[in-house]
Amino acid sequence: MSIDRYRARLGSGFLSLALLAAPAGLSSPSGLSAQDPSTPPAGERRPVTDADLQSLHRLSGLALSPDGERIAFAQDGGVWVLDTAPGSSPRSPRRVAEGTNPTWSRDGDRLAFYARAEDTGELQVFTASIDGGVARQETRVDGGVVPDRIAWSSDDVLAFVVAAPRAPAADEEGAAPEPASAERGFPLILAPDSPDGYAFEGLLEGVAAPPRPSPATRELFVHDLRTGETRQLTRDGVEYLGPAWSPDGRTLACAAMDGFHRGQVVSTIFLIDAATGERRQISGNGVMSTNPSWSPDGESVAWVRYSRTGPTRNSISTFQPGGDGDGARRIYSFSATIGDFAWTADGRTLLITQVDGVTRPVGRVDPATADVETVGSAGYVTVGGTLTVSASGAVAWGESRGDTPVVIRLLRPGDDEAEEIYDPNPQLAEVELGRQEIVRWRNAAGDDREGVLILPVGYEPGTRYPLIVSAYSEGSHLNAFYSDGSPAFGNQRHAARGYAVFFPGPRVPWMYGGAFVSGHVGGSAGWGQMIDDVESGVDVLIERGLVDPDRMAIMGFSNGGAAAAAMITRSHRYRAAVAVAPANLNWVESALRQDNTAERWIPTATFVGIREDVLENPAEYVRGSPVFEMGNVETPLLLAVGDRDDASFTIPTVEIYLALRRLRKEVTLLRYAGMAHGFFGPAADDLNERIAEFLERHLDPDG
């Protein structure tokens, strides 16, 4: 199929997942009525078009009412409520108001949410009755509020976060002097005792230096709905997030970001007295602890603890404020990243969402034994930020699968299986998508691997198709709906173009702590593991007769872009490669650019799995830098990057281009003014089109 016919088939315009403007009134969203059970057979469906993928609706902020008979969510710029009781008909949501992040009152009669104030346009807290009526603006905070979690107490007090100017830091005795600002004709003088972060000041856009404190803190505020009083609760100069009320309404549990350690954001869990603002630290230091949640009886607080290193880098911890001990207890540790978590209604177990291969199901954790049981049928993918539990014991979540971006599923108390109660995209039943399946194989090292394959639209058994390998790293290749996203991510638009699309989810040496988690091999040897993960999966597809081995491409964005560019230094089986904003393939340069004398090799070595400084073991950093192997490249490469991206991506992209150009290799670099680490609007439209033309030129999808 020619590129012109491809444009005619998919239509023009960028495949954006931006939500459509919500219709006015209390009707259900346009085209979002309950799905007609009569779905046309596959042979009668029309091919998916660009317009179909542009019109997709997403959900966020799911929240079950206390009785479990309603669920609120944000969609298309508005807050919606859906009846969940058995037999509710028609099961179509009604729009309550414009806004986002809905939270229920304890009696289930009202919702609190964020919306724009009519007079200032600033984000403020509003409430509305679910029975109709006009939304009421509750806060009038100068500068607006931060769209974080709203917590609603049993006494009708709302807790939320507001950005406040950071107070100037007091001069500390013995502190390194701040270098004087450079003036025209005079130098900026940097001495050995100058503070970190100044070496590249003003030289390059977004140079990756140790982060400095933001100019604003995030303090806790409370608003009493009975009196209308808004009060600032904390003045601690940190960044609070995720407040949660104790059941008695006397104490808030909250995370506070308070610095960086080994390149990782550090946050701590505090209990804050709602009357006095006094705080008590309950989590350890040096890691990121977040998402505090009270047990229903108020006797325990649980939170998630993240660490970049260690074989079990993530865990759930609990603390009993009224208990005899002073320390937190770790009840469950795991290597995969946790998504959401919440207490069950009886307080006996915790619910989590955790990546398991290419799925992310809801799991039930027993705090006493640390045993985990999958909730409902295995093999599904939850949408991040959607897990919600009612006081009545109902559980709901957003679920994504190969044929739809999201549906809401509800598990009622006593049921074994969750029911699908709402599909915001029933129109997709009318179009033909590429069939999606899970691929399982064993690599050459004997490791069991899982990936996702999208077959071409109109796939015919026995026909070999051109293949696009989407190379983003492990944990991001879930068996979910792939509609678009950043350029150089495989998706349904490529399947409609006639390609098979494969997501092998390789382990890469610089991600998630290098050698320290999930069987990753760190250091320079990690590249061999990545290549094994990808190539062994591709071999399985070739052996199954699905793929034409002479028409294959590899591509990726960010970490996936680095994987794609590194692959072609060691493999010559790909006809084309695309790397958009690739991460750093020059570990020497990356390590030397760290303007951080306190921790030296961190964060570069934490990611790549080398426990020595670059000046102590430069040879290992060179061996781990594929940029020095560009002389092996035989594959045409298309590079792209935004000029406003961080230097961790702009510098590597330009280095790869200059190396290949110097070697007279086939390479093209596209630089987009105004784009950062992500593409949108005309730039994304242009890049998608250029990628399509590049792939067609080298893979000839018509065969």
Side-chain angles (χ1 to χ4, degrees):
M1 181 187 299
S2 69
I3 193 67
D4 291 331
R5 282 194 288 157
Y6 171 47
R7 293 186 187 122
R9 184 174 180 182
L10 288 186
S12 59
F14 173 46
L15 296 181
S16 171
L17 293 184
L19 300 180
L20 303 179
L26 300 180
S27 60
S28 88
S30 176
L32 302 187
S33 59
Q35 182 173 334
D36 189 333
S38 58
T39 300
E44 299 177 11
R45 299 176 194 172
R46 59 177 176 78
V48 65
T49 66
D50 192 7
D52 294 320
L53 298 175
Q54 279 186 319
S55 65
L56 297 176
H57 300 264
R58 302 284 185 170
L59 310 177
S60 64
L62 273 62
L64 278 167
S65 61
D67 60 10
E69 295 187 359
R70 299 179 182 88
I71 189 167
F73 53 88
Q75 178 186 318
D76 299 342
V79 172
W80 302 78
V81 173
L82 177 73
D83 293 331
T84 64
S88 300
S89 182
R91 189 167 279 164
S92 298
R94 60 184 182 277
R95 190 170 186 268
V96 175
E98 292 184 3
T100 188
N101 294 49
T103 301
W104 289 93
S105 61
R106 294 297 176 97
D107 59 14
D109 290 336
R110 290 173 292 169
L111 286 167
F113 49 90
Y114 296 115
R116 298 285 177 187
E118 288 188 5
D119 53 348
T120 66
E122 295 172 340
L123 208 61
Q124 300 288 350
V125 179
F126 286 69
T127 60
S129 168
I130 63 169
D131 295 326
V134 179
R136 171 188 173 91
Q137 182 177 339
E138 300 290 351
T139 65
R140 288 171 172 79
V141 179
D142 290 343
V145 300
V146 176
D148 190 31
R149 178 194 297 175
I150 302 174
W152 196 321
S153 79
S154 55
D155 298 327
D156 279 347
V157 178
L158 303 178
F160 50 94
V161 177
V162 174
R166 186 181 295 276
D171 291 335
E172 298 182 12
E173 186 176 351
E178 291 281 317
S181 298
E183 299 179 8
R184 187 179 182 89
F186 296 92
L188 175 68
I189 301 174
L190 298 176
D193 61 348
S194 294
D196 294 338
Y198 281 92
F200 291 99
E201 182 78 7
L203 293 181
L204 296 169
E205 183 77 34
V207 165
R212 299 180 188 172
S214 65
T217 64
R218 292 186 175 187
E219 302 289 358
L220 283 176
F221 280 60
V222 292
H223 177 82
D224 193 322
L225 293 171
R226 299 162 300 182
T227 65
E229 177 191 8
T230 300
R231 175 169 59 94
Q232 183 171 347
L233 182 61
T234 65
R235 301 178 187 275
D236 298 316
V238 297
E239 296 185 48
Y240 285 107
L241 66 159
W245 282 108
S246 60
D248 62 10
R250 297 179 180 178
T251 308
L252 280 162
C254 200
M257 293 192 296
D258 50 9
F260 299 84
H261 178 65
R262 295 192 170 186
Q264 175 180 296
V265 174
V266 172
S267 57
T268 309
I269 305 298
F270 290 93
L271 299 182
I272 301 172
D273 188 293
T276 66
E278 294 183 3
R279 68 179 193 171
R280 175 188 181 188
Q281 181 176 337
I282 62 173
S283 70
N285 297 314
V287 297
M288 183 168 66
S289 298
T290 187
N291 295 344
S293 176
W294 291 87
S295 61
D297 59 10
E299 294 186 0
S300 297
V301 180
W303 63 90
V304 182
R305 176 185 181 276
Y306 297 96
S307 176
R308 274 186 175 165
T309 60
T312 54
R313 65 192 182 95
N314 303 323
S315 60
I316 295 176
S317 298
T318 60
F319 180 85
Q320 293 183 313
D324 296 332
D326 293 329
R329 183 170 69 95
R330 193 177 304 182
I331 61 172
Y332 177 55
S333 298
F334 44 94
S335 59
T337 301
I338 193 172
D340 306 330
F341 91 105
W343 290 91
T344 52
D346 60 12
R348 297 177 181 175
T349 57
L350 287 157
L351 297 177
I352 64 170
T353 63
Q354 179 183 342
V355 173
D356 180 13
V358 297
T359 66
R360 186 170 55 203
V362 177
R364 193 188 310 272
V365 181
D366 185 334
T369 65
D371 292 336
V372 182
E373 175 189 6
T374 298
V375 175
S377 300
Y380 58 91
V381 176
T382 55
V383 176
T386 62
L387 180 66
T388 175
V389 180
S390 74
S392 66
V395 182
W397 61 85
E399 184 174 310
S400 180
R401 56 180 188 246
D403 61 350
T404 189
V406 61
V407 296
I408 297 178
R409 297 190 72 86
L410 175 71
L411 183 68
R412 297 185 178 87
D415 289 353
D416 293 327
E417 294 295 332
E419 176 191 357
E420 181 180 316
I421 62 171
Y422 178 54
D423 179 0
N425 295 288
Q427 74 279 6
L428 285 179
E430 302 174 359
V431 303
E432 187 176 2
L433 298 166
R435 182 166 58 86
Q436 192 164 301
E437 62 181 59
I438 297 175
V439 181
R440 295 180 175 89
W441 73 97
R442 182 167 292 175
N443 69 7
D447 301 329
D448 291 326
R449 306 298 300 158
E450 284 188 350
V452 175
L453 174 68
I454 306 177
L455 292 168
V457 172
Y459 166 74
E460 297 180 0
T463 301
R464 290 186 180 270
Y465 290 88
L467 176 69
I468 295 173
V469 177
S470 189
Y472 206 92
S473 49
E474 185 180 42
S476 62
H477 64 308
L478 301 179
N479 189 28
F481 188 78
Y482 290 93
S483 59
D484 189 43
S486 298
F489 268 103
N491 52 63
Q492 284 285 348
R493 79 191 303 255
H494 297 113
R497 175 69 181 82
Y499 299 102
V501 185
F502 182 44
F503 304 83
R507 292 164 293 181
V508 293
W510 68 86
M511 284 291 289
Y512 310 130
F516 312 120
V517 296
S518 299
H520 282 56
V521 174
S524 59
W527 294 114
Q529 183 182 63
M530 181 200 75
I531 293 168
D532 187 8
D533 287 349
V534 174
E535 301 288 72
S536 58
V538 170
D539 288 341
V540 168
L541 302 183
I542 294 172
E543 291 168 5
R544 287 176 54 185
L546 300 173
V547 170
D548 183 346
D550 294 324
R551 292 188 295 158
M552 300 193 304
I554 188 166
M555 68 180 189
F557 168 76
S558 189
N559 283 297
M567 280 290 300
I568 61 175
T569 66
R570 308 257 184 118
S571 174
H572 300 150
R573 70 194 310 183
Y574 299 100
R575 287 284 194 89
V578 179
V580 177
N584 209 321
L585 298 184
N586 184 347
W587 295 356
V588 176
E589 181 272 329
S590 179
L592 289 173
R593 186 163 32 90
Q594 299 302 318
D595 184 7
N596 189 341
T597 57
E599 295 175 328
R600 297 197 307 164
W601 45 268
I602 300 296
T604 300
T606 298
F607 277 140
V608 302
I610 305 174
R611 284 297 189 180
E612 296 172 286
D613 183 68
V614 63
L615 299 179
E616 296 167 347
N617 189 0
E620 176 62 8
Y621 282 80
V622 172
R623 284 192 295 268
S625 301
V627 72
F628 297 114
E629 301 180 33
M630 289 295 155
N632 299 329
V633 171
E634 297 178 2
T635 304
L637 176 63
L638 177 64
L639 293 162
V641 70
D643 283 354
R644 295 185 60 82
D645 204 344
D646 187 274
S648 297
F649 305 100
T650 56
I651 290 176
T653 306
V654 173
E655 283 183 344
I656 295 169
Y657 164 71
L658 292 176
L660 292 175
R661 189 184 72 162
R662 181 175 300 165
L663 295 165
R664 301 286 190 253
K665 304 289 185 177
E666 187 174 345
V667 60
T668 300
L669 170 60
L670 307 174
R671 286 180 45 186
Y672 286 88
M675 293 294 104
H677 200 56
F679 291 76
F680 58 89
D685 189 18
D686 180 84
L687 179 53
N688 276 324
E689 188 169 302
R690 291 179 188 276
I691 291 174
E693 292 172 341
F694 178 75
L695 293 175
E696 181 183 69
R697 185 166 70 252
H698 291 285
L699 297 190
D700 184 17
D702 288 329

